[in-house]
Amino acid sequence: GIQVEQSPPDLILQEGANSTLRCNFSDSVNNLQWFHQNPWGQLINLFYIPSGTKQNGRLSATTVATERYSLLYISSSQTTDSGVYFCAVERSGSARQLTFGSGTQLTVLP
Amino acid sequence: NAGVTQTPKFRVLKTGQSMTLLCAQDMNHEYMYWYRQDPGMGLRLIHYSVGEGTTAKGEVPDGYNVSRLKKQNFLLGLESAAPSQTSVYFCASSYILGLAWSSYNEQFFGPGTRLTVL
């Protein structure tokens, strides 16, 4: 199956700092999603981004499908950004199944 | 519009007991999925359904059964619970826009069910 690797596994930031999270995948993908799992366990859709660049407020994401990676940028981080960020991909021809990475645990300190 | 809902939110079972988790979505999505999340890991697909009356196995299907009798509901059953099935269970749904494999398929998740098997 497809391998999805996220880095770094853990990240601690001071409020106001910027960060970049990376997702590498081992095969061609049709689709890619970024999620934020908040401290209450809920999965929140951040981006649906099989290719290209998108921005939503302080967050933006870029996927370079030909090079098999995606980046999530968080600018001016806030304590509410804390949680786990997951990348999930749908391998080409996989019957629409998502394969998740192990996540990046982000802690933003006040 | 409630999105994806899951019942119950928490459950404790003894080894060998059975139970059913209910997932409901009000977005008229064709596809529905059941995932499990173990500590420190991403989600893994248990079973999924591409439409009413159809189901298929995912990555970790053993010990689970599913049914999709109505388009809006997807049930996950544990016939004889084991401690290894202690996990958080997430349901998701999506609609497919287009016929090609590369067509739009954004999945939306429910709030999860925390299951403990003693």
Side-chain angles (χ1 to χ4, degrees), chain A residues 22 26 28 91:
Chain A
R22 187 177 180 100
S26 62
S28 300
R91 184 176 59 84

Side-chain angles (χ1 to χ4, degrees), chain A residues 30-31 33 35 37 40-48 50 54 84 86 90-103, chain B residues 31 33 35 37 40-45 48 50 57-59 90 96 98-111 114:
Chain A
N30 289 331
N31 300 311
Q33 290 185 243
F35 297 91
Q37 188 167 39
W40 295 271
Q42 187 156 11
L43 280 166
I44 300 164
N45 290 38
L46 296 178
F47 293 102
Y48 177 86
K54 290 186 177 180
V84 183
F86 288 106
E90 177 192 324
R91 184 176 59 84
S92 298
S94 68
R96 323 320 302 255
Q97 301 173 44
L98 283 180
T99 299
F100 280 73
S102 296
Chain B
Y31 282 56
Y33 313 81
Y35 293 87
Q37 184 180 26
M41 297 178 64
L43 281 67
R44 292 182 293 168
L45 183 66
Y48 66 100
V50 302
K57 294 180 180 180
E59 181 185 354
F90 287 94
I96 308 298
L99 297 177
W101 282 112
S102 59
S103 55
Y104 175 86
N105 176 30
E106 184 175 4
Q107 294 189 21
F108 296 88
F109 284 78
R114 187 173 296 274

